[in-house]
Amino acid sequence: ANYGSGSIASYKIGADGKLSEAVSSLQFTGYGPIKGRQEGPHAHSNLITADNKFVISCDLGTDRLHIFELDDAAGSLVEHNPAYVRAIPGGGPRHGTFSPNDKFLYVCNEMGNSVTAYQWDRWRGLLTEIQTISTLPAGFKGESATAEIRVHPQNGRLYVSNRGHDSIAIF
């Protein structure tokens, strides 16, 4: 994921551990409603599904979760149909993590100080929004932004860090 250019690329790893030239290089387009932060695409992170069939790319600049089919052998990415799911307008999806059972994707929205839960249909490569909830306590008035999100593999708890509020929300 290339934040500045709003693009993503894939590479093969050689037997010697070196990366190939880019196998796939894809440029995102569009913008979001927050001027100064969403004037164009900002690919922030990529997630590979547990079965290595799909890649989900969080685009903070366009409030989209792009979905790609992954050809594991070739290392190439092909735009899925549908090509993306819209996230919360102005939320700025930053990072995501799958639930231990691979049925849900949780995405932290950097600018929205929230986390969105999506149902993941791994057979069809579809994301369906379920819920968005704040990562900040009620009444908080300061500046804050989410940064990282993780699910504990054994207890299933979801952890989201808040920069500014300097806390970790636990769900």
Side-chain angles (χ1 to χ4, degrees), residues 83-99:
Y84 62 85
V85 172
R86 292 201 178 274
I88 300 298
R94 178 183 171 96
H95 291 163
T97 189
F98 282 97
S99 63

Side-chain angles (χ1 to χ4, degrees), residues 2 9 14 27 30 45 76 82 89 101-103 116 136-137 148 152 168:
N2 303 298
Q27 178 65 54
S45 64
S76 62
N101 65 7
D102 204 34
K103 292 182 180 181
T116 301
L136 297 171
E148 190 54 81
H152 192 284
I168 296 176

Side-chain angles (χ1 to χ4, degrees), residues 8-153:
I8 65 168
S10 65
Y11 303 85
K12 289 191 70 138
I13 301 172
D16 60 358
K18 293 183 181 178
L19 296 179
S20 69
E21 294 295 318
V23 175
S24 298
S25 183
L26 303 147
Q27 178 65 54
F28 298 154
T29 60
Y31 56 90
I34 310 253
K35 295 202 185 315
R37 291 292 313 275
Q38 294 185 309
E39 69 289 343
H42 294 300
H44 210 292
S45 64
N46 297 323
L47 297 144
I48 299 173
T49 58
D51 59 8
N52 283 337
K53 291 184 180 180
F54 295 95
V55 171
I56 313 293
S57 184
C58 295
D59 186 345
L60 184 142
T62 65
D63 293 322
R64 292 179 183 160
L65 302 176
H66 295 271
I67 306 169
F68 297 94
E69 295 171 25
L70 172 62
D71 181 333
D72 195 30
S76 62
L77 299 172
V78 177
E79 205 171 67
H80 185 58
N81 184 14
Y84 62 85
V85 172
R86 292 201 178 274
I88 300 298
R94 178 183 171 96
H95 291 163
T97 189
F98 282 97
S99 63
N101 65 7
D102 204 34
K103 292 182 180 181
F104 303 97
L105 172 67
Y106 305 103
V107 175
C108 67
N109 302 301
E110 178 177 327
M111 298 179 301
N113 288 290
S114 62
V115 60
T116 301
Y118 297 88
Q119 184 173 359
W120 171 241
D121 181 337
R122 66 186 183 109
W123 303 109
R124 297 186 303 156
L126 299 176
L127 289 169
T128 304
E129 184 179 334
I130 299 170
Q131 175 188 34
T132 298
I133 189 166
S134 177
T135 59
L136 297 171
F140 177 74
K141 301 286 187 211
E143 293 288 322
S144 191
T146 65
E148 190 54 81
I149 184 168
R150 290 281 186 250
V151 172
H152 192 284

